[in-house]
Amino acid sequence: MHHLIETDPFRFDGTKRLKLKKQPHQVKDFYENKKDYKELLSEFHEELDELQSMMYAHNRYALLLVFQAMDAAGKDGTIQHVLSGVNPHGVFVRSFKKPSTLEIDHDFLWRTHFRIPSRGTIGIFNRSHYEEVLVTKVHPEILLESQRIPRSHTQNLDKVWKDRYEDIRNHERYLYNNGVHIVKFFLNLSRDEQRDRFLARIDTPAKNWKFSEADVKERAYWDDYQAAYEQAINETATPHAPWYVVPADDKKNMRLIVSQVILNHLNAMDIHYPKVSKERKKQFAQYREMLLKD
């Protein structure tokens, strides 16, 4: 394999503070041209599929990939392009949109917790439990009006967010202790590039279905969202559940970086195919003979 993208500049695991304004939205291309990009992505697909098959057979660990971003950053496309080569039986994608009535009737971690991937599989969250310290932080009326939290707990909103960061840290530590490895991605899109992508959704008939008035309205809260993301990442970045702040203005680069990060984490996991005992090997030999005689 000739690919090796340095991912440390994008990694936040609590050892350094994130300042979003200092993070790049674009970096030098990791590919030479479109053909080279496709070849690199194909290599990643092959290796990811191989490691996921081993993980499935080993059946001890799960991998949870969390994708968060501003609208139009490319979450769907990244998930599609990065994991399209992996056997579907070992990968599950969950998209979390506006909570249902049933979900609102439960605690804020409930709707994501029961979709945590099972051992041997990769689970992908398109948005996640982090919405509860992002959207609700930018729009606290959601918390106060829709989520029926005891009033005594919502008198001090700063304490609500502090408690939720702590709950998320504890939750992710609990999952890690039970064999669920967590990798979180923030696809870091610039404001100008978001505007261009919204315009493309209006100007390109094939993309019209993607356009939402709500997205443009949320754009007015850009600075609030950037602050919410920065704080959420700083509060919840840990060695066992790191964040990667990935430049998102170039989709090809973004997909290659995400692929490399996932590969790095799978390679670092203690996974292997189950070992076969001597007795079992003898049985294999007998069955082989039977099949050859058949």
Side-chain angles (χ1 to χ4, degrees):
M1 296 286 174
H2 69 266
H3 61 252
L4 186 62
I5 294 168
E6 182 54 58
T7 60
D8 278 353
F10 315 119
R11 179 184 166 102
F12 290 84
D13 58 12
T15 56
K16 61 184 176 183
R17 299 289 289 176
L18 166 67
K19 287 206 181 310
L20 256 186
K21 283 183 179 172
K22 291 189 175 178
Q23 287 302 113
H25 300 110
Q26 192 152 358
V27 288
K28 189 181 173 189
D29 290 348
F30 294 110
Y31 57 95
E32 290 170 18
N33 48 45
K34 196 172 181 180
K35 181 174 178 283
D36 185 46
Y37 160 73
K38 286 186 174 177
E39 285 174 3
L40 281 169
L41 202 59
S42 179
E43 280 185 19
F44 279 126
H45 286 161
E46 201 176 311
E47 204 173 334
L48 280 171
D49 188 44
E50 199 177 302
L51 285 166
Q52 199 285 315
S53 295
M54 190 188 295
M55 183 186 173
Y56 190 82
H58 189 227
N59 199 32
R60 186 174 291 271
Y61 299 105
L63 179 62
L64 173 61
L65 307 174
V66 172
F67 286 88
Q68 291 286 158
M70 298 295 283
D71 296 312
K75 293 188 302 300
D76 293 332
T78 302
I79 292 165
Q80 178 191 343
H81 282 82
V82 171
L83 291 140
S84 62
V86 182
N87 194 320
H89 76 238
V91 179
F92 303 91
V93 181
R94 313 287 186 203
S95 290
F96 295 97
K97 300 189 188 298
K98 186 178 176 181
S100 67
T101 306
L102 176 65
E103 288 166 344
I104 289 171
D105 277 341
H106 288 80
D107 60 274
F108 85 94
L109 287 169
W110 179 82
R111 73 171 180 157
T112 52
H113 182 70
F114 81 89
R115 292 182 172 91
I116 295 296
S118 55
R119 297 187 199 286
T121 67
I122 297 173
I124 299 155
F125 283 0
N126 184 342
R127 302 192 190 276
S128 66
H129 45 292
Y130 280 95
E131 294 294 291
E132 299 298 340
V133 289
L134 295 167
V135 178
T136 51
K137 193 164 190 286
V138 173
H139 299 288
E141 64 274 12
I142 296 171
L143 183 85
L144 298 169
E145 294 166 17
S146 303
Q147 300 182 355
R148 290 180 286 285
I149 297 164
R151 292 214 177 274
S152 56
H153 288 260
T154 57
Q155 302 300 319
N156 180 349
L157 283 179
D158 285 341
K159 188 174 185 306
V160 170
W161 311 128
K162 192 180 173 191
D163 288 345
R164 284 192 170 187
Y165 298 136
E166 186 181 359
D167 292 338
I168 289 171
R169 285 195 302 270
N170 290 338
H171 177 63
E172 291 178 349
R173 162 62 74 180
Y174 164 79
L175 292 175
Y176 181 78
N177 289 344
N178 283 277
V180 182
H181 288 237
I182 304 161
V183 183
K184 301 170 291 193
F185 296 99
F186 172 59
L187 308 182
N188 190 22
L189 186 71
S190 70
R191 199 165 195 267
D192 286 349
E193 181 64 21
Q194 188 196 54
R195 181 200 60 224
D196 291 348
R197 290 184 189 179
F198 283 163
L199 287 169
R201 290 179 178 184
I202 293 169
D203 297 340
T204 313
K207 292 182 178 179
N208 285 168
W209 66 274
K210 284 185 175 183
F211 181 76
S212 164
E213 290 83 347
D215 292 346
V216 178
K217 285 178 185 171
E218 286 303 284
R219 187 172 156 79
Y221 299 95
W222 180 274
D223 291 343
D224 294 336
Y225 273 108
Q226 295 292 298
Y229 268 109
E230 183 174 286
Q231 189 172 6
I233 291 168
N234 280 323
E235 292 280 354
T236 61
T238 60
H240 57 271
W243 277 97
Y244 289 85
V245 178
V246 182
D249 280 14
D250 181 294
K251 291 181 181 180
K252 293 184 180 70
N253 258 347
M254 175 173 67
R255 291 163 190 164
L256 293 174
I257 294 167
V258 168
S259 298
Q260 183 73 67
V261 168
I262 298 169
L263 262 188
N264 291 350
H265 279 270
L266 282 170
N267 276 312
M269 289 164 74
D270 180 24
I271 54 175
H272 51 78
Y273 285 109
K275 293 191 169 54
V276 180
S277 66
K278 287 180 182 176
E279 291 76 14
R280 189 67 175 146
K281 282 181 181 175
K282 283 179 187 173
Q283 289 175 349
F284 283 163
Q286 290 168 358
Y287 284 121
R288 190 173 188 279
E289 287 297 315
M290 285 169 63
L291 288 164
L292 287 170
K293 287 174 185 173
D294 192 351

